[in-house]
Amino acid sequence: DQQVKQNSPSLSVQEGRISILNCDYTNSMFDYFLWYKKYPAEGPTFLISISSIKDKNEDGRFTVFLNKSAKHLSLHIVPSQPGDSAVYFCAASEPGSSNTGKLIFGQGTTLQVKP
Amino acid sequence: KAGVTQTPRYLIKTRGQQVTLSCSPISGHRSVSWYQQTPGQGLQFLFEYFSETQRNKGNFPGRFSGRQFSNSRSEMNVSTLELGDSALYLCASSYSGQGVGEQYFGPGTRLTVT
């Protein structure tokens, strides 16, 4: 039972354009959502997070939007750069689990940014 | 500051054998979490240790176990290996497990079971 789903396995965008990565979840009790980026042969690196009490969080070129009624979040990258090409994972934590390391991950979306 | 290190990086084992993977967290970090990554499944949480105590556990069979030492280094063990255990095993460390997102991942150990 996949509680966090990334339905698009891959996405290709042109350099300079916007990349939008989507994530759906089923558990309305999740209190934090996170995005991680993973390059080949490296571990995932934390990108940006959002609390369930907010609907937007921005950090430079990266913005995460949360739509709780739709149980949907998205990561916007503007402008996209070739170095952004990686696998992006959406993750969520349950109340009480955010400080015990347990995150529930989606399957990942491979983003390719073409020069 | 040195990152999270995992050894070995690659491992090939035969069905029925057991395996032990090691994770050295960032200096000063006391929490270590383990994840299994398989194609199409994303990362699945195995367990988390803090100060040598297991604080949280995922939905994996008892063949998967772990421990943490007093220097915060952690090991995970898989006994009676099955073909489906072939995966990338990642560990992540953080200072206390608090601060959502403040987990730093190692490069992983790629385990192949034949």
Side-chain angles (χ1 to χ4, degrees), chain A residues 2-3 31-34 36 38 41-47 49-50 87 89 93-94 96-108, chain B residues 9-10 31 33 35 37 40-45 48 55-59 88 90 94 96-108:
Chain A
Q2 198 84 23
Q3 296 189 71
D31 59 354
Y32 277 96
F33 301 90
L34 307 89
Y36 280 81
K38 186 180 185 300
E42 294 182 13
T45 54
F46 170 71
L47 205 51
S49 67
I50 187 169
V87 179
F89 290 98
S93 71
E94 297 170 318
S97 289
S98 60
N99 66 342
T100 60
K102 180 179 180 180
L103 294 174
I104 299 167
F105 282 83
Q107 309 95 310
Chain B
R9 292 292 309 276
Y10 302 91
S31 167
S33 300
Y35 290 84
Q37 184 187 0
Q41 291 294 318
L43 282 73
Q44 294 183 283
F45 176 78
E48 186 256 1
R55 288 199 299 190
N56 211 336
K57 190 177 186 305
N59 296 323
L88 180 67
L90 294 157
S94 65
S96 66
Q98 291 179 339
V100 178
E102 296 293 332
Q103 290 192 54
Y104 297 83
F105 281 85

